[in-house]
Amino acid sequence: MNTEILKIEPKSIDIAAELLRKDEIVAIPTETVYGLAGNGLSPNAVKKIFEAKGRPNDNPLILHISSVDWLYRYAEEVPRLALKLAERFWPGPLTMIMPKKSIVPKETSGGLDTVAFRMPNSPWTLKLIEACDFPLAAPSANLSGLPSPTRAGYVYNDMKGKIPLIIDGGQCSYGLESTVITFIEKGVKILRPGGVTAEMLSEFCETEIDKAVIEGLKDTDKALSPGMKYKHYSPKAEVFMVECDDDEVFAAFVNENSDENTIVLAKNSDNIKAKTLPYGRSAKQEAETLFASLRKADETGAKKIYVQAPSKEGIGLAVYNRLIRAAAFKVIKL
Ligand code: AMP
Ligand code: MG
C-alpha cells in the first residue's frame, strides 16, 4: 500500500473522512501525539488499527469525540463529575473512562464493559470527527512498544506501507499522551498521568494516583489500565533513568560512564562530554522533547541513553511515568 502524507487543510480532511467511512485507517495529528484513527464503532476498522500497530488486543482504545453530547450516545452512564471536568478540560488532554453502551464493540474496549473518551484540542481533527459523525478510535500512531510519534515523519517511519494516509499537522504541542482517569466513589483515580495534572484535577475533586503510575505492576497485580502492563515507549538503545538533582554530579557520572555510543538527555548539558540531545529544564519542555529525542538517539545508532529523571510534580509525573517504562524500570540513584 502506498502511504501518502498530506498537509492539514480542508481538502485533506475530506479525503481522510472518505477513507474513514470506508473502514480505512488514517494517521491524524492531535495536541498530545499523532493518533492512528479508525471508526471506533466498526470492529473491522478497529481490527486494522490493532494489526498496523502490532498492539495486543486486550489493550483498549480511546474514542475521540467532537461534542460532549456524544457521551450520551456511547456511554451507559455519564457521571456528573465527568460533565464538570469536560467543561473545564475539553477539548484537551484528558481521557475519561465510563461504562459503555453495547453500540461500542468489544474490539474497541479490549473486551471491557467500559470505554474511554477524549475530545482532542485540534480544530481540524475535531472537524474531521464531526464530518465522520462517528467517534474515532485513535491510539498513538507508533508500532506498539516504540516511543509515540510527535511528528508526521515519525509516523511514516512506523506506518509506511501499512496505512493509506497521514495528515501532517506539524509538531504536537504536548508531546505526551493524555491523562487517563476513572471515576471512583470520592472522585477520580489517575491511571496514566498527562497534560491535565493531579494538581489541576484536585481543584475539582479528590484525586488518587494509581500505584502502577510510578511503580509498575507485579505479575500478581490487576492492571486497571491494561496498557500500563506492557513494555512501552522504548527506543532500540538501552535507557537508564538517573535520579540526580545536582547537575554537576550528574555530569560527572555520565562523563565517567559514556563512550561514543552513548547519548545523554540532561537538564543542563554544559559540562557533559558525551553526545546530548534536546531535553529541557522544565517538565513542559521535557514532555515536548522526550519521545522525539529517544527516536533521534536511535537514528544516531546509540547503544545506551542516560536520562536525568524529571520531578514528579505537575506534568513531570507524566514524563517520569513514560521514562521509567522506556527504561524498563532501570533506575540509577546518585
Ligand atoms: P493509547 O491508545 O496508546 O493512548 O493508550 C490508551 C490507554 O488508555 C491505555 O493505557 C489503555 O489501557 C487506557 N484505556 C483505554 N480504555 C480503557 C478502559 N476502558 N479502561 C481502562 N483503561 C483504558
Ligand atoms: Mg500508545
Side-chain angles (χ1 to χ4, degrees):
M1 184 186 292
N2 180 41
T3 302
E4 210 177 348
I5 304 182
L6 294 177
K7 245 185 52 209
I8 200 154
E9 58 186 350
K11 203 172 77 197
S12 39
I13 294 297
D14 289 346
I15 297 171
E18 202 44 49
L19 286 165
L20 290 162
R21 283 185 206 109
K22 288 194 233 148
D23 266 2
E24 292 297 340
I25 58 175
V26 173
I28 55 167
T30 82
E31 82 280 27
T32 56
V33 300
Y34 275 77
L36 192 60
N39 179 352
L41 303 181
S42 160
N44 183 34
V46 165
K47 218 177 108 218
K48 288 183 186 172
I49 296 175
F50 281 98
E51 272 171 18
K53 280 181 63 76
R55 180 170 171 118
N57 61 10
D58 69 343
N59 189 359
L61 306 180
I62 296 170
L63 288 183
H64 292 69
I65 60 177
S66 56
S67 153
V68 176
D69 302 344
W70 285 24
L71 288 175
Y72 296 98
R73 293 192 194 173
Y74 310 118
E76 191 61 54
E77 219 184 286
V78 182
R80 283 215 351 240
L81 179 57
L83 297 176
K84 246 171 88 178
L85 296 176
E87 194 184 346
R88 168 65 182 83
F89 296 111
W90 279 2
L94 179 68
T95 295
M96 301 193 265
I97 297 170
M98 293 168 217
K100 75 173 191 69
K101 281 196 167 155
S102 58
I103 183 176
V104 179
K106 288 265 185 189
E107 284 80 357
T108 300
S109 67
L112 299 173
D113 294 327
T114 53
V115 67
F117 296 97
R118 178 167 108 80
M119 191 192 292
N121 191 10
S122 329
W124 287 110
T125 297
L126 289 174
K127 283 200 169 76
L128 174 64
I129 301 169
E130 238 168 62
C132 289
D133 201 30
F134 49 72
L136 294 181
S140 49
N142 52 289
L143 290 175
S144 214
L146 296 189
S148 301
T150 50
R151 290 178 203 171
Y154 295 143
V155 178
Y156 188 77
N157 291 347
D158 284 16
M159 292 296 154
K160 63 173 171 286
K162 295 181 168 210
I163 63 173
L165 177 63
I166 298 167
I167 304 280
D168 185 352
Q171 192 168 335
C172 302
S173 55
Y174 271 101
L176 291 182
E177 306 84 349
S178 59
T179 305
V180 178
I181 58 169
T182 188
F183 294 90
I184 53 175
E185 209 183 322
K186 294 165 286 178
V188 300
K189 184 182 234 185
I190 296 180
L191 304 184
R192 177 176 75 183
V196 173
T197 63
E199 291 83 348
M200 287 155 85
L201 289 166
S202 61
E203 284 177 23
F204 287 81
C205 56
E206 262 190 58
T207 303
E208 280 181 21
I209 301 174
D210 190 46
K211 72 178 182 18
V213 163
I214 46 175
E215 283 179 15
L217 289 165
K218 299 188 188 68
D219 290 345
T220 47
D221 289 344
K222 185 174 180 299
L224 289 177
S225 169
M228 298 289 258
K229 69 184 181 213
Y230 293 106
K231 180 167 154 31
H232 240 112
Y233 319 114
S234 304
K236 292 195 196 83
E238 193 174 14
V239 180
F240 295 88
M241 178 163 97
V242 184
E243 284 193 353
C244 176
D245 288 336
D246 184 326
D247 293 346
E248 277 176 35
V249 174
F250 178 72
F253 170 81
V254 293
N255 287 342
E256 181 84 359
N257 291 284
S258 298
D259 60 26
E260 68 280 9
N261 294 317
T262 307
I263 292 281
V264 178
L265 305 189
K267 290 175 193 288
N268 175 0
S269 326
D270 288 351
N271 297 314
I272 292 176
K273 296 197 191 92
K275 274 180 262 173
T276 59
L277 281 172
Y279 191 41
R281 281 174 176 276
S282 70
K284 185 163 184 312
Q285 284 172 353
E286 288 161 4
E288 273 165 36
T289 54
L290 177 69
F291 285 146
S293 287
L294 292 180
R295 281 188 176 251
K296 277 188 210 141
D298 270 353
E299 285 165 15
T300 70
K303 298 269 188 300
K304 196 163 64 175
I305 309 174
Y306 288 119
V307 190
Q308 199 171 2
S311 88
K312 292 181 215 143
E313 307 280 299
I315 196 169
L317 184 66
V319 182
Y320 190 98
N321 168 269
R322 307 310 190 276
L323 185 56
I324 200 166
R325 282 167 173 75
F329 295 92
K330 291 187 296 291
V331 181
I332 297 165
K333 293 190 178 157
L334 298 183

